[in-house]
Amino acid sequence: MSADPSTLAVHGGEPTFDDQVLPPWPQHDDAEEKALLDVLSSGAWGSTHGDVVATFEQEFAEYQQAKHAICLNNGTLAIAAALRAAGVGLGDEVIVPPYTFIATASAALFIGAVPVFADVDPVTHLLDPQATEAAITPRTKAVIVVHLAGRPVDMDAFTAIGHRHGLTIVEDCAQAHGAEYRGRRIGAIGDLGTFSFQSSKNITAGEGGAVVTDDPDLAQALYSLVNVGRVPGGGWYQHTTVGYNLRLTEFQAAILRAQLTRHPHQQQTREHNATILTDLLGEADGIQVAPPDPAVTAHGRHLFIFRVPALGVAGTRDAVVSALAAEGLRAASSGYVPLHRHEALDREITELTGRLGQPYPRTELPVAEQVCTDTIWLPQRYLLGTEEQTRQIAAAIVKVVAAHESLPRPRA
Ligand SMILES: *Cc1c(COP(=O)(O)O)cnc(C)c1O
């Protein structure tokens, strides 16, 4: 399919859309306002004095169908704490996907563990179970699976790998609040699940995080890690283990309680619009959207991701993202660079394994590299508009992709 390139906004044509018309993010109303003022006037601003964090922990555990939830200050340290609670430590290898936010790998480094990358699946962009199993060494202690964009990974395969090799399975659920795999909410299907409530996430208090688990011993270990080594019901100066202070404030929990009640309805809207986008983009030439998986009974819909392989070949993906911004899709993004090529991570991993005198398994990850050249993302706010707005978003994408050959190519 060809298109008249002169109609592109980047070439001086009329923009197709204006993303300012979409609902803002984050959203709030009187519920957040009242909850915040209640905490303010109560004088109990920290969770050591109030009970709002504890209440939210119960509500969130229930929401994710987990026995326990422990709140903490962000999704990055949630992963570090989950690994430590599971006994992962100095020199242990943790298998992670290369196509994820940097925190999935840096969290392992914070506790002296070594992130080892295994390749992703070309259709779903998610960690590949076979590649994971091939990356296991005698030093491997854990696997962090990432439900990227909100799409649950193949948990049947990963729980089987965990059992077969005696590995802890941590689910990085930062993008997947409310997502389900075979009818069960994600998070406590593996040993531990970590969440983020940072500004961009589908449930947010600006910052914040949580770890969920069904295992009471892991829950207690997490409580201690978050609370300076204290134990539930123990004394103020009774530090049974060495722990951080990672506590969430009562203000954040007050906002989160309100956000949680709003989440199911927002998810319905995102799911509805994502289905429309999937159909419209799926009909267009050369655009690939991962097909639905019957095991994914609810998608978390944090990002809408699609691939256009021709853009990777031509080297025009970033030019297309700029052209989409000109069309009014200002938040369209090229997404992640592959973490195994990330300079800062590589430096840190090289230094750590050097100090430990430990080999570092470096492998080729061709799928991750490919995916990083031809993938485009839309943030979850783009799924919160009307049907008409959703159709306009699809039209802008189809128009730009069809005319991509008119866009500047990078010099070889
Ligand atoms: C956002 C995110 C994190 C980190 O959460 P923060 O709360 O920002 O520290 C970790 N993993 C993934 C996949 C994320 O998207």
Side-chain angles (χ1 to χ4, degrees):
M1 184 171 70
S2 64
D4 177 3
S6 71
T7 65
L8 293 193
V10 78
H11 295 319
E14 274 298 304
T16 319
F17 188 61
D18 176 5
D19 65 6
Q20 312 284 25
V21 303
L22 292 168
W25 188 262
Q27 298 178 7
H28 70 93
D29 62 19
D30 295 353
E32 278 84 356
E33 216 169 299
K34 180 177 182 310
L36 277 173
L37 288 173
D38 283 350
V39 171
L40 188 72
S41 56
S42 78
W45 295 357
S47 65
T48 49
H49 290 82
D51 60 6
V52 188
V53 170
T55 304
F56 175 70
E57 285 176 338
Q58 278 178 10
E59 290 168 347
F60 191 66
E62 210 169 289
Y63 197 66
Q64 291 304 138
Q65 299 172 345
K67 294 211 170 80
H68 309 272
I70 295 87
C71 279
L72 30 62
N73 51 7
N74 61 60
T76 303
L77 292 173
I79 303 169
L83 290 171
R84 268 206 63 174
V88 178
L90 189 63
D92 293 336
E93 288 176 1
V94 178
I95 298 174
V96 301
Y99 194 68
T100 177
F101 186 57
I102 188 169
T104 311
S106 51
L109 287 165
F110 294 154
I111 61 161
V114 182
V116 171
F117 299 102
D119 215 346
V120 295
D121 179 280
V123 175
T124 63
H125 306 76
L126 303 174
L127 186 60
D128 178 345
Q130 277 186 337
T132 300
E133 202 151 24
I136 294 171
T137 77
R139 293 177 297 278
T140 309
K141 285 282 163 56
V143 179
I144 307 177
V145 300
V146 181
H147 305 307
L148 189 81
R151 183 178 174 119
V153 302
D154 182 349
M155 286 306 294
D156 285 347
F158 284 107
T159 43
I161 289 172
H163 289 139
R164 206 152 49 234
H165 300 275
L167 306 177
T168 297
I169 304 296
V170 176
E171 300 175 54
D172 180 344
C173 312
Q175 302 184 2
H177 313 77
E180 284 176 22
Y181 182 81
R182 296 198 194 285
R184 182 172 177 190
R185 294 262 159 108
I186 48 90
I189 300 176
D191 297 288
L192 299 132
T194 66
F195 290 82
S196 166
F197 305 124
Q198 177 267 343
S199 305
S200 70
K201 309 295 162 142
N202 295 24
I203 294 175
T204 181
E207 299 286 353
V211 184
V212 302
T213 182
D214 277 351
D215 182 325
D217 296 332
L218 290 175
Q220 164 129 11
L222 281 158
Y223 179 94
S224 297
L225 283 164
V226 170
N227 288 287
V228 226
R230 295 186 187 119
V231 288
W236 186 254
Y237 291 118
Q238 184 191 344
H239 310 285
T240 308
T241 53
V242 175
Y244 311 96
N245 169 6
L246 303 175
R247 290 186 298 269
L248 196 74
T249 67
E250 296 280 284
F251 294 108
Q252 290 165 293
I255 294 178
L256 289 169
R257 289 194 66 201
Q259 294 279 308
L260 187 61
T261 61
R262 194 170 285 122
H263 183 258
H265 178 68
Q266 290 171 336
Q267 282 306 102
Q268 271 177 11
T269 307
R270 290 189 189 100
E271 185 56 41
H272 182 72
N273 289 335
T275 306
I276 294 173
L277 273 184
T278 301
D279 290 346
L280 292 175
L281 297 183
E283 288 165 5
D285 269 356
I287 300 180
Q288 298 176 359
V289 184
D293 172 351
V296 173
T297 44
H299 191 303
R301 298 294 178 200
H302 178 63
L303 299 165
F304 188 89
I305 293 186
F306 58 95
R307 290 186 65 190
V308 189
L311 305 184
V313 174
T316 48
R317 191 271 316 271
D318 293 348
V320 164
V321 170
S322 300
L324 287 173
E327 294 299 334
L329 274 58
R330 295 174 190 83
S333 162
S334 297
Y336 302 129
V337 300
L339 293 182
H340 67 295
R341 298 270 180 222
H342 195 286
E343 241 180 77
L345 283 176
D346 192 63
R347 218 181 311 127
E348 190 95 356
I349 292 168
T350 304
E351 190 183 318
L352 174 62
T353 50
R355 281 199 198 191
L356 293 167
Q358 198 165 300
Y360 184 67
R362 270 194 182 78
T363 47
E364 295 296 307
L365 304 170
V367 182
E369 299 208 6
Q370 181 62 37
V371 159
C372 288
T373 66
D374 62 18
T375 297
I376 297 175
W377 291 0
L378 306 177
Q380 50 98 358
R381 188 169 76 91
Y382 278 39
L383 301 175
L384 287 172
T386 62
E387 262 187 46
E388 177 57 25
Q389 290 162 347
T390 306
R391 289 179 195 284
Q392 289 167 353
I393 290 172
I397 294 167
V398 170
K399 170 173 144 182
V400 172
V401 167
H404 79 91
E405 283 176 344
S406 76
L407 297 169
R409 292 173 179 235
R411 267 174 288 174

